[in-house]
Amino acid sequence: MKCLVCDREAKEKFCMLHDKAYRNVVQKFEDWKRATGISWKEYLKEVAENTFTGSWAKEVAEQLLSEHND
Ligand SMILES: [Zn+2]
């Protein structure tokens, strides 16, 4: 199976590098949610649009947002 973001081998959704970024994104969301009550989708948009976000996290956030279309 390939990473959803890049073409590297992945165990589940993401390769090792994007999985690490994904874990960071999820972990930070817990803090943000506690502090601001932000929703998961709003948070992902913030991460994807924030110029200070690392590119790995940004790519992961964009991928998660694309899965999240309603
Ligand atoms: Zn990847």
Side-chain angles (χ1 to χ4, degrees):
M1 186 176 178
K2 295 213 163 155
C3 175
L4 291 174
V5 180
C6 62
D7 277 338
R8 289 183 186 87
E9 277 301 312
K11 274 188 186 167
E12 290 172 39
K13 279 180 161 191
F14 301 114
C15 66
M16 251 171 64
L17 292 165
H18 282 115
D19 188 61
K20 196 178 164 200
Y22 172 68
R23 282 164 207 270
N24 283 335
V25 165
V26 170
Q27 199 174 10
K28 265 189 204 158
F29 174 61
E30 293 301 318
D31 297 339
W32 275 52
K33 197 171 65 178
R34 226 172 287 135
T36 66
I38 197 168
S39 75
W40 177 234
K41 199 172 177 181
E42 282 167 343
Y43 169 73
L44 289 177
K45 277 187 193 163
E46 290 289 330
V47 173
E49 286 165 14
N50 192 329
T51 44
F52 299 106
T53 307
S55 61
W56 297 105
K58 202 178 275 190
E59 286 167 2
V60 166
E62 281 164 1
Q63 170 60 35
L64 294 171
L65 271 173
S66 75
E67 291 174 4
H68 215 288
N69 280 337
D70 25 54

